mmCIF file of all heavy atoms in Angstrom:
data_model
loop_
_atom_site.group_PDB
_atom_site.id
_atom_site.type_symbol
_atom_site.label_atom_id
_atom_site.label_comp_id
_atom_site.label_asym_id
_atom_site.label_seq_id
_atom_site.Cartn_x
_atom_site.Cartn_y
_atom_site.Cartn_z
ATOM 1 N N ALA A 1263 -85.639 70.067 180.898
ATOM 2 C CA ALA A 1263 -85.429 70.397 179.500
ATOM 3 C C ALA A 1263 -84.936 71.821 179.334
ATOM 4 O O ALA A 1263 -84.253 72.140 178.349
ATOM 5 C CB ALA A 1263 -86.727 70.191 178.726
ATOM 6 N N ALA A 1264 -85.238 72.689 180.271
ATOM 7 C CA ALA A 1264 -84.793 74.076 180.182
ATOM 8 C C ALA A 1264 -83.272 74.185 180.144
ATOM 9 O O ALA A 1264 -82.724 75.186 179.679
ATOM 10 C CB ALA A 1264 -85.343 74.902 181.364
ATOM 11 N N GLY A 1265 -82.578 73.164 180.618
ATOM 12 C CA GLY A 1265 -81.130 73.150 180.601
ATOM 13 C C GLY A 1265 -80.539 72.958 179.223
ATOM 14 O O GLY A 1265 -79.309 72.976 179.082
ATOM 15 N N TRP A 1266 -81.380 72.773 178.197
ATOM 16 C CA TRP A 1266 -80.926 72.671 176.812
ATOM 17 C C TRP A 1266 -81.087 73.990 176.055
ATOM 18 O O TRP A 1266 -80.751 74.077 174.902
ATOM 19 C CB TRP A 1266 -81.666 71.567 176.092
ATOM 20 C CG TRP A 1266 -81.003 70.220 176.171
ATOM 21 C CD1 TRP A 1266 -80.270 69.583 175.219
ATOM 22 C CD2 TRP A 1266 -80.999 69.328 177.307
ATOM 23 N NE1 TRP A 1266 -79.817 68.373 175.668
ATOM 24 C CE2 TRP A 1266 -80.252 68.200 176.954
ATOM 25 C CE3 TRP A 1266 -81.549 69.401 178.588
ATOM 26 C CZ2 TRP A 1266 -80.039 67.119 177.820
ATOM 27 C CZ3 TRP A 1266 -81.342 68.343 179.454
ATOM 28 C CH2 TRP A 1266 -80.602 67.213 179.063
ATOM 29 N N GLN A 1267 -81.631 75.004 176.710
ATOM 30 C CA GLN A 1267 -81.794 76.285 176.025
ATOM 31 C C GLN A 1267 -80.447 76.899 175.674
ATOM 32 O O GLN A 1267 -79.484 76.751 176.412
ATOM 33 C CB GLN A 1267 -82.545 77.286 176.924
ATOM 34 C CG GLN A 1267 -83.993 76.890 177.193
ATOM 35 C CD GLN A 1267 -84.655 77.851 178.148
ATOM 36 O OE1 GLN A 1267 -85.459 78.691 177.763
ATOM 37 N NE2 GLN A 1267 -84.312 77.715 179.412
ATOM 38 N N MET A 1268 -80.410 77.589 174.553
ATOM 39 C CA MET A 1268 -79.207 78.243 174.112
ATOM 40 C C MET A 1268 -79.256 79.755 174.289
ATOM 41 O O MET A 1268 -78.313 80.361 174.774
ATOM 42 C CB MET A 1268 -78.931 77.922 172.632
ATOM 43 C CG MET A 1268 -78.905 76.453 172.286
ATOM 44 S SD MET A 1268 -77.524 75.567 173.039
ATOM 45 C CE MET A 1268 -76.158 76.145 172.046
ATOM 46 N N SER A 1269 -80.366 80.340 173.888
ATOM 47 C CA SER A 1269 -80.488 81.803 173.847
ATOM 48 C C SER A 1269 -81.808 82.224 174.452
ATOM 49 O O SER A 1269 -82.721 81.410 174.657
ATOM 50 C CB SER A 1269 -80.409 82.285 172.396
ATOM 51 O OG SER A 1269 -79.240 81.840 171.768
ATOM 52 N N ASN A 1270 -81.903 83.535 174.743
ATOM 53 C CA ASN A 1270 -83.132 84.010 175.365
ATOM 54 C C ASN A 1270 -84.318 83.930 174.404
ATOM 55 O O ASN A 1270 -84.159 83.787 173.192
ATOM 56 C CB ASN A 1270 -82.963 85.431 175.905
ATOM 57 C CG ASN A 1270 -82.439 86.402 174.891
ATOM 58 O OD1 ASN A 1270 -81.668 86.029 174.004
ATOM 59 N ND2 ASN A 1270 -82.844 87.646 174.994
ATOM 60 N N ALA A 1271 -85.496 84.048 174.957
ATOM 61 C CA ALA A 1271 -86.736 83.745 174.239
ATOM 62 C C ALA A 1271 -86.988 84.706 173.088
ATOM 63 O O ALA A 1271 -86.888 85.929 173.265
ATOM 64 C CB ALA A 1271 -87.901 83.768 175.204
ATOM 65 N N PRO A 1272 -87.397 84.204 171.898
ATOM 66 C CA PRO A 1272 -87.901 85.066 170.824
ATOM 67 C C PRO A 1272 -89.355 85.432 171.158
ATOM 68 O O PRO A 1272 -90.292 84.707 170.776
ATOM 69 C CB PRO A 1272 -87.784 84.171 169.578
ATOM 70 C CG PRO A 1272 -87.904 82.777 170.109
ATOM 71 C CD PRO A 1272 -87.332 82.793 171.505
ATOM 72 N N VAL A 1273 -89.524 86.533 171.839
ATOM 73 C CA VAL A 1273 -90.778 86.838 172.520
ATOM 74 C C VAL A 1273 -91.957 86.966 171.559
ATOM 75 O O VAL A 1273 -93.051 86.468 171.831
ATOM 76 C CB VAL A 1273 -90.618 88.113 173.372
ATOM 77 C CG1 VAL A 1273 -91.970 88.610 173.886
ATOM 78 C CG2 VAL A 1273 -89.691 87.814 174.541
ATOM 79 N N PHE A 1274 -91.769 87.653 170.419
ATOM 80 C CA PHE A 1274 -92.907 87.883 169.537
ATOM 81 C C PHE A 1274 -93.474 86.565 169.002
ATOM 82 O O PHE A 1274 -94.694 86.382 168.923
ATOM 83 C CB PHE A 1274 -92.518 88.815 168.396
ATOM 84 C CG PHE A 1274 -92.033 90.154 168.886
ATOM 85 C CD1 PHE A 1274 -90.807 90.653 168.487
ATOM 86 C CD2 PHE A 1274 -92.813 90.914 169.757
ATOM 87 C CE1 PHE A 1274 -90.358 91.890 168.947
ATOM 88 C CE2 PHE A 1274 -92.362 92.140 170.235
ATOM 89 C CZ PHE A 1274 -91.126 92.622 169.821
ATOM 90 N N GLY A 1275 -92.590 85.652 168.590
ATOM 91 C CA GLY A 1275 -93.054 84.357 168.123
ATOM 92 C C GLY A 1275 -93.696 83.556 169.262
ATOM 93 O O GLY A 1275 -94.731 82.916 169.063
ATOM 94 N N MET A 1276 -93.098 83.606 170.414
ATOM 95 C CA MET A 1276 -93.647 82.872 171.549
ATOM 96 C C MET A 1276 -95.012 83.430 171.966
ATOM 97 O O MET A 1276 -95.872 82.689 172.448
ATOM 98 C CB MET A 1276 -92.684 82.908 172.726
ATOM 99 C CG MET A 1276 -91.538 81.944 172.589
ATOM 100 S SD MET A 1276 -90.577 81.864 174.125
ATOM 101 C CE MET A 1276 -89.464 80.490 173.761
ATOM 102 N N ALA A 1277 -95.229 84.745 171.781
ATOM 103 C CA ALA A 1277 -96.495 85.341 172.134
ATOM 104 C C ALA A 1277 -97.618 84.739 171.283
ATOM 105 O O ALA A 1277 -98.706 84.421 171.790
ATOM 106 C CB ALA A 1277 -96.447 86.863 171.943
ATOM 107 N N ILE A 1278 -97.356 84.558 169.975
ATOM 108 C CA ILE A 1278 -98.360 83.916 169.128
ATOM 109 C C ILE A 1278 -98.567 82.468 169.530
ATOM 110 O O ILE A 1278 -99.707 81.984 169.603
ATOM 111 C CB ILE A 1278 -97.922 83.997 167.653
ATOM 112 C CG1 ILE A 1278 -97.804 85.447 167.189
ATOM 113 C CG2 ILE A 1278 -98.902 83.238 166.759
ATOM 114 C CD1 ILE A 1278 -97.251 85.597 165.791
ATOM 115 N N HIS A 1279 -97.470 81.785 169.810
ATOM 116 C CA HIS A 1279 -97.578 80.375 170.189
ATOM 117 C C HIS A 1279 -98.389 80.229 171.473
ATOM 118 O O HIS A 1279 -99.244 79.330 171.573
ATOM 119 C CB HIS A 1279 -96.185 79.810 170.376
ATOM 120 C CG HIS A 1279 -96.137 78.326 170.597
ATOM 121 N ND1 HIS A 1279 -97.007 77.460 169.988
ATOM 122 C CD2 HIS A 1279 -95.331 77.575 171.396
ATOM 123 C CE1 HIS A 1279 -96.728 76.213 170.372
ATOM 124 N NE2 HIS A 1279 -95.741 76.260 171.231
ATOM 125 N N LEU A 1280 -98.187 81.122 172.415
ATOM 126 C CA LEU A 1280 -98.947 81.074 173.654
ATOM 127 C C LEU A 1280 -100.436 81.301 173.381
ATOM 128 O O LEU A 1280 -101.288 80.634 173.972
ATOM 129 C CB LEU A 1280 -98.415 82.127 174.632
ATOM 130 C CG LEU A 1280 -99.152 82.245 175.972
ATOM 131 C CD1 LEU A 1280 -99.204 80.908 176.703
ATOM 132 C CD2 LEU A 1280 -98.514 83.318 176.846
ATOM 133 N N ALA A 1281 -100.758 82.231 172.495
ATOM 134 C CA ALA A 1281 -102.167 82.482 172.163
ATOM 135 C C ALA A 1281 -102.816 81.229 171.594
ATOM 136 O O ALA A 1281 -103.978 80.908 171.930
ATOM 137 C CB ALA A 1281 -102.248 83.627 171.156
ATOM 138 N N SER A 1282 -102.087 80.493 170.762
ATOM 139 C CA SER A 1282 -102.622 79.249 170.219
ATOM 140 C C SER A 1282 -102.735 78.159 171.267
ATOM 141 O O SER A 1282 -103.740 77.433 171.335
ATOM 142 C CB SER A 1282 -101.757 78.778 169.051
ATOM 143 O OG SER A 1282 -102.271 77.571 168.499
ATOM 144 N N LEU A 1283 -101.710 78.030 172.096
ATOM 145 C CA LEU A 1283 -101.735 77.009 173.140
ATOM 146 C C LEU A 1283 -102.904 77.212 174.105
ATOM 147 O O LEU A 1283 -103.474 76.235 174.621
ATOM 148 C CB LEU A 1283 -100.415 77.004 173.926
ATOM 149 C CG LEU A 1283 -99.187 76.463 173.197
ATOM 150 C CD1 LEU A 1283 -97.936 76.648 174.057
ATOM 151 C CD2 LEU A 1283 -99.360 74.995 172.828
ATOM 152 N N GLU A 1284 -103.276 78.451 174.316
ATOM 153 C CA GLU A 1284 -104.426 78.721 175.199
ATOM 154 C C GLU A 1284 -105.691 78.126 174.610
ATOM 155 O O GLU A 1284 -106.555 77.594 175.344
ATOM 156 C CB GLU A 1284 -104.571 80.235 175.392
ATOM 157 C CG GLU A 1284 -103.495 80.807 176.300
ATOM 158 C CD GLU A 1284 -103.481 82.322 176.319
ATOM 159 O OE1 GLU A 1284 -104.121 82.949 175.432
ATOM 160 O OE2 GLU A 1284 -102.854 82.916 177.243
ATOM 161 N N LEU A 1285 -105.833 78.164 173.290
ATOM 162 C CA LEU A 1285 -106.991 77.563 172.650
ATOM 163 C C LEU A 1285 -106.983 76.058 172.790
ATOM 164 O O LEU A 1285 -108.032 75.431 173.042
ATOM 165 C CB LEU A 1285 -107.051 77.951 171.158
ATOM 166 C CG LEU A 1285 -107.252 79.448 170.858
ATOM 167 C CD1 LEU A 1285 -107.165 79.712 169.370
ATOM 168 C CD2 LEU A 1285 -108.593 79.927 171.392
ATOM 169 N N PHE A 1286 -105.824 75.452 172.647
ATOM 170 C CA PHE A 1286 -105.724 74.000 172.796
ATOM 171 C C PHE A 1286 -106.033 73.593 174.237
ATOM 172 O O PHE A 1286 -106.648 72.556 174.476
ATOM 173 C CB PHE A 1286 -104.335 73.507 172.383
ATOM 174 C CG PHE A 1286 -104.204 73.291 170.905
ATOM 175 C CD1 PHE A 1286 -103.908 74.364 170.063
ATOM 176 C CD2 PHE A 1286 -104.407 72.056 170.346
ATOM 177 C CE1 PHE A 1286 -103.788 74.181 168.685
ATOM 178 C CE2 PHE A 1286 -104.316 71.857 168.967
ATOM 179 C CZ PHE A 1286 -103.998 72.929 168.135
ATOM 180 N N HIS A 1287 -105.596 74.417 175.178
ATOM 181 C CA HIS A 1287 -105.890 74.139 176.585
ATOM 182 C C HIS A 1287 -107.404 74.168 176.818
ATOM 183 O O HIS A 1287 -107.961 73.303 177.520
ATOM 184 C CB HIS A 1287 -105.196 75.163 177.472
ATOM 185 C CG HIS A 1287 -105.608 75.101 178.914
ATOM 186 N ND1 HIS A 1287 -105.256 74.059 179.739
ATOM 187 C CD2 HIS A 1287 -106.359 75.957 179.691
ATOM 188 C CE1 HIS A 1287 -105.758 74.264 180.946
ATOM 189 N NE2 HIS A 1287 -106.432 75.393 180.939
ATOM 190 N N GLN A 1288 -108.080 75.140 176.221
ATOM 191 C CA GLN A 1288 -109.518 75.242 176.391
ATOM 192 C C GLN A 1288 -110.248 74.083 175.737
ATOM 193 O O GLN A 1288 -111.213 73.549 176.266
ATOM 194 C CB GLN A 1288 -110.012 76.579 175.801
ATOM 195 C CG GLN A 1288 -109.529 77.815 176.522
ATOM 196 C CD GLN A 1288 -109.737 79.069 175.700
ATOM 197 O OE1 GLN A 1288 -110.584 79.128 174.795
ATOM 198 N NE2 GLN A 1288 -108.969 80.114 176.001
ATOM 199 N N ALA A 1289 -109.770 73.675 174.564
ATOM 200 C CA ALA A 1289 -110.440 72.588 173.843
ATOM 201 C C ALA A 1289 -110.155 71.226 174.455
ATOM 202 O O ALA A 1289 -111.060 70.392 174.562
ATOM 203 C CB ALA A 1289 -110.002 72.599 172.377
ATOM 204 N N GLY A 1290 -108.909 70.996 174.871
ATOM 205 C CA GLY A 1290 -108.503 69.709 175.434
ATOM 206 C C GLY A 1290 -108.084 68.727 174.343
ATOM 207 O O GLY A 1290 -108.857 68.484 173.423
ATOM 208 N N MET A 1291 -106.876 68.197 174.458
ATOM 209 C CA MET A 1291 -106.359 67.318 173.415
ATOM 210 C C MET A 1291 -107.189 66.041 173.275
ATOM 211 O O MET A 1291 -107.384 65.547 172.152
ATOM 212 C CB MET A 1291 -104.891 66.950 173.678
ATOM 213 C CG MET A 1291 -103.899 67.946 173.134
ATOM 214 S SD MET A 1291 -104.087 68.364 171.379
ATOM 215 C CE MET A 1291 -104.090 66.746 170.593
ATOM 216 N N SER A 1292 -107.696 65.492 174.345
ATOM 217 C CA SER A 1292 -108.495 64.261 174.212
ATOM 218 C C SER A 1292 -109.766 64.534 173.443
ATOM 219 O O SER A 1292 -110.213 63.716 172.626
ATOM 220 C CB SER A 1292 -108.793 63.650 175.591
ATOM 221 O OG SER A 1292 -109.539 64.564 176.376
ATOM 222 N N ASN A 1293 -110.382 65.706 173.678
ATOM 223 C CA ASN A 1293 -111.583 66.071 172.921
ATOM 224 C C ASN A 1293 -111.273 66.290 171.447
ATOM 225 O O ASN A 1293 -112.028 65.855 170.569
ATOM 226 C CB ASN A 1293 -112.198 67.357 173.496
ATOM 227 C CG ASN A 1293 -112.663 67.197 174.932
ATOM 228 O OD1 ASN A 1293 -113.108 66.124 175.328
ATOM 229 N ND2 ASN A 1293 -112.572 68.254 175.703
#
């Protein structure tokens, strides 16, 4: 899927998204 990227990463937005994804990882989607 990385082969569909157009431009380099919007880091500040991705930083927030990563912070949220870490919580989902800890909680677990099945839970």
Side-chain angles (χ1 to χ4, degrees):
W1266 270 257
Q1267 293 177 105
M1268 306 294 286
S1269 305
N1270 53 328
V1273 169
F1274 301 126
M1276 283 189 172
I1278 298 175
H1279 188 36
L1280 178 56
S1282 180
L1283 288 175
E1284 287 170 345
L1285 295 175
F1286 277 84
H1287 171 70
Q1288 294 166 22
M1291 273 308 306
S1292 61
N1293 297 327

